[in-house]
């Protein structure tokens, strides 16, 4: 019982840290995941903490929801259009990374070929969670985001399969190319088949059920069940989860009600937020800063090897894409090369290294920690400035002008409202309020005219403004309905009926949601 209470206390403490960091990061210009790693490092320095961070826990508990949520939201049509490029980066790219990293470390350290190839395999899986978050917040070309996110989804499975093959070769002392290739195909394709079958089955069940609690449960079973079943059958659990998420995410929502779709997406967004938060906070808590400083030379060589391999893969992919008639802009290649961050998968694989590898096992782990820390703290924090320098942010000049005018109007109205409150509370005299209020009202009126001018000449901006406004209005309606049900004023049946009406309106195009001059209320 005491162990359970200690574990529960630790989880609550970590959740509190996650919440505090999430609040603080809004004021700091750094990615949220990077802030969590820094918080973990600070806690470790202040109060050393030893956590038995089992790799099986990371792989089986954290990886399925992270991978499933990303795959569930990825548009299959976008993925199909860029499938050749994603596969090149995720399969040959991972193999090349393993070989290049291994070769560089073989020349620069005292490690043998089996060990450097093991390290090359475990460090080849990219985890651009921080980069994707920056992409979504700042806005980048859609195809660039799909390339990076699609690669990270598929190369996890490739890296894990290669890691297991290299580990078995190191332990047995022999590696045969042809049997190894067949084993790679068996494990990878087996995971894809299991994920596709399970994803299709769950999508069919979802299409026949109209209860969001059941559908959330089904997708949860799918995410973890696909991983566990694939691992039990000796194939890739990660690729099974990726495929299951893609199939269920693109087939399942067609049979969902609008209410279920919104609740389901929000649920998985929350689960992915928790999983990401715990993983990156635990990374910071697990890293021994003193040990990293002692082993700075092999860590430096490992970082240089990873950067060199990533550069070869990305720019080689750029040349291949040009030959295939689907060129990738040179500026995009810079982002892909610098955006190859390492994270949870590499850490879990490093922790899973068996003791039979000898004292070099600890050196491989320290090198993996150093690479993960560098990619998060250096590459992750500089991605935003790099995107701005390369001018890849897709914000139109008219959008910038609108944001500037809208911000001025909002600030002016806030000032007017604040002074009005002070006047009502007697903190500002009526004489002063009357003198200042006229000036504030005139300024707000001028700013409002300026905003209207932009919207009247930019139909796209006007449509975005109307869409945002009506979504907020409809969400307010839904919140009011939820309050009525909670207070017992309306029955659950009436709430679900009216909430479904609001959600159906939310799914309509903007023009269909705009009210007429006279609205006839429904019966």
């Amino acid at each position: 019982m005491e162990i359970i209470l200690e574990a529960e206390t630790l989880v609550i403490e970590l959740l509190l840290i996650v919440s505090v960091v999430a609040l603080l990061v809004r004021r700091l210009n750094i990615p949220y995941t990077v802030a969590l790693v820094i918080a973990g490092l600070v806690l470790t320095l202040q109060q050393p903490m030893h956590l038995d961070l089992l790799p099986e826990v990371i792989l089986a508990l954290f990886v399925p929801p992270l991978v499933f949520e990303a795959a569930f939201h990825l548009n299959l049509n976008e993925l199909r259009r860029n499938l050749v490029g994603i596969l090149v980066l995720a399969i040959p790219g991972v193999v090349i990374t393993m070989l290049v990293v291994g070769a560089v470390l073989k020349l620069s350290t005292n490690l043998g070929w089996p060990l450097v190839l093991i390290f090359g395999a475990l460090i080849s899986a990219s985890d651009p969670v921080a980069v994707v978050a920056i992409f979504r917040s700042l806005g980048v070309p859609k195809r660039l985001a799909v390339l990076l996110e699609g690669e990270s989804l598929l190369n996890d499975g490739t890296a894990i399969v290669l890691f297991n093959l290299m580990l078995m070769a190191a332990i047995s002392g022999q590696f045969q190319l042809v049997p190894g290739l067949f084993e790679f195909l068996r494990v990878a394709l087996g995971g894809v088949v299991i994920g596709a079958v399970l994803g299709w089955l769950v999508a069919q069940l979802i299409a026949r059920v109209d209860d969001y609690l059941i559908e959330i449960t089904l997708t949860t079973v799918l995410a973890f069940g696909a991983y566990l079943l694939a691992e039990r059958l000796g194939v890739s659990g990660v690729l099974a989860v990726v495929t299951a998420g893609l199939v269920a995410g693109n087939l399942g929502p067609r049979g969902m009600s609008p209410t279920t779709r919104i609740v389901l997406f929000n649920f998985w967004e929350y689960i992915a937020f928790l999983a990401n938060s715990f993983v990156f906070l635990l990374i910071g808590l697990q890293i021994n800063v003193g040990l990293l400083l002692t082993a700075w030379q092999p860590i430096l060589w490992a970082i240089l090897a990873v950067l060199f391999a990533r550069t070869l893969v990305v720019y080689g992919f750029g040349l291949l894409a040009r030959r295939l008639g689907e060129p990738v802009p040179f500026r995009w290649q810079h982002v892909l090369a610098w955006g190859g961050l390492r994270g949870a998968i590499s850490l879990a694989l490093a922790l899973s290294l068996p003791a039979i590898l000898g004292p070099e096992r600890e050196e491989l782990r320290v090198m993996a920690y150093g690479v993960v820390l560098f990619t998060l703290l250096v590459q992750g924090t500089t991605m935003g400035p790099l995107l701005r320098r390369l001018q890849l942010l897709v914000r139109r000049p008219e959008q910038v002008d609108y944001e500037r005018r809208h911000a001025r109007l909002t600030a002016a109205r806030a000032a007017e409202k604040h002074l009005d409150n002070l006047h009502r509370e007697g903190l500002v005299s009526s004489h002063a309020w009357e003198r200042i209020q006229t000036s504030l009202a005139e300024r707000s009126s001028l700013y409002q005219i300026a905003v209207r001018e932009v919207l009247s000449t930019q139909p796209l901006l006007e449509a975005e403004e109307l869409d945002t406004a009506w979504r907020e209005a409809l969400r307010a309606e839904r919140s009011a309905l939820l309050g009525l049900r909670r207070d017992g004023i309306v029955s659950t049946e009436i709430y679900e009926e009216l909430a479904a009406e609001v959600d159906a309106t939310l799914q309509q195009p903007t023009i269909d949601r705009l009210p007429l001059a006279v609205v006839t209320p429904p019966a």
Side-chain angles (χ1 to χ4, degrees), residues 384-441:
L386 176 64
L387 290 171
R388 295 185 181 92
R389 186 172 184 84
L390 295 175
Q391 298 180 348
L392 287 176
L393 304 182
V394 289
R395 294 175 68 226
R396 303 180 301 276
E398 58 270 18
Q399 185 177 2
V400 175
D401 185 35
Y402 166 74
E403 289 180 5
R404 183 181 297 111
R405 298 187 185 199
H406 186 264
R408 285 173 176 166
L409 173 61
T410 303
R413 285 178 171 173
E416 187 176 1
K417 182 179 179 181
H418 177 65
L419 207 61
D420 183 33
N421 290 335
L422 293 178
H423 171 242
R424 292 174 183 273
E425 294 171 3
L427 300 177
V428 172
S429 67
S430 297
H431 173 75
W433 165 242
E434 291 170 0
R435 293 284 303 272
I436 298 175
Q437 191 270 340
T438 302
S439 175
L440 291 177

Side-chain angles (χ1 to χ4, degrees), residues 59-201:
L59 289 175
L61 188 61
F62 294 134
V63 173
L66 289 175
V67 173
F68 184 84
E69 190 270 342
F72 194 79
H73 287 83
L74 195 61
N75 187 296
L76 194 58
N77 293 325
E78 293 286 344
L79 183 66
R80 190 184 298 114
R81 280 193 286 267
N82 298 278
L83 187 59
V84 175
I86 290 172
L87 289 177
V88 169
L89 290 170
I91 300 177
V94 170
V95 176
I96 293 171
T97 299
M98 179 189 71
L99 295 175
V100 171
V101 170
V104 172
L105 292 180
K106 182 64 177 69
L107 295 174
S108 58
T109 66
N110 296 323
L111 298 173
W113 274 112
L115 294 176
V116 295
L117 289 179
I118 289 174
F119 181 81
L122 71 85
I123 208 66
S124 60
S126 62
D127 187 15
V129 175
V131 176
V132 172
I134 293 173
F135 280 9
R136 291 173 180 171
S137 62
L138 297 180
V140 298
K142 182 68 175 178
R143 186 187 171 204
L144 174 58
V146 170
L147 281 173
L148 191 66
E149 194 165 6
E151 178 208 359
S152 71
L153 279 175
L154 297 182
N155 70 10
D156 288 349
T158 307
I160 292 174
V161 173
L162 283 177
F163 172 79
N164 289 326
L165 290 176
M166 293 301 105
L167 192 58
M168 286 191 303
I171 294 174
S172 64
Q174 58 181 356
F175 176 75
Q176 297 177 336
L177 181 60
V178 176
L181 179 60
F182 277 109
E183 178 67 10
F184 174 82
L185 292 176
R186 183 192 70 82
V187 173
L189 294 179
V192 171
V193 170
I194 289 175
V197 172
L198 294 179
W200 183 83
L201 288 175

Side-chain angles (χ1 to χ4, degrees), residues 274 308 420 453:
L274 282 185
F308 179 57
D420 183 33
E453 286 177 353

Side-chain angles (χ1 to χ4, degrees), residues 2 22 40 81 186 272 287 292 327 348 360 497:
E2 185 177 349
R81 280 193 286 267
R186 183 192 70 82
I287 292 174
L292 292 179
E360 288 82 4
E497 175 189 342

Side-chain angles (χ1 to χ4, degrees), residues 317-357:
F317 159 70
L319 293 175
L320 179 61
R322 190 176 298 113
R323 289 182 177 274
L324 294 175
E326 297 181 0
V328 176
F330 202 56
R331 291 182 299 168
W332 291 17
Q333 296 176 40
H334 301 331
V335 176
L336 290 172
W338 195 243
L341 278 64
R342 271 59 179 176
I345 299 294
S346 296
L347 178 67
L349 295 180
L351 289 170
S352 68
L353 292 171
I356 196 174
L357 294 179

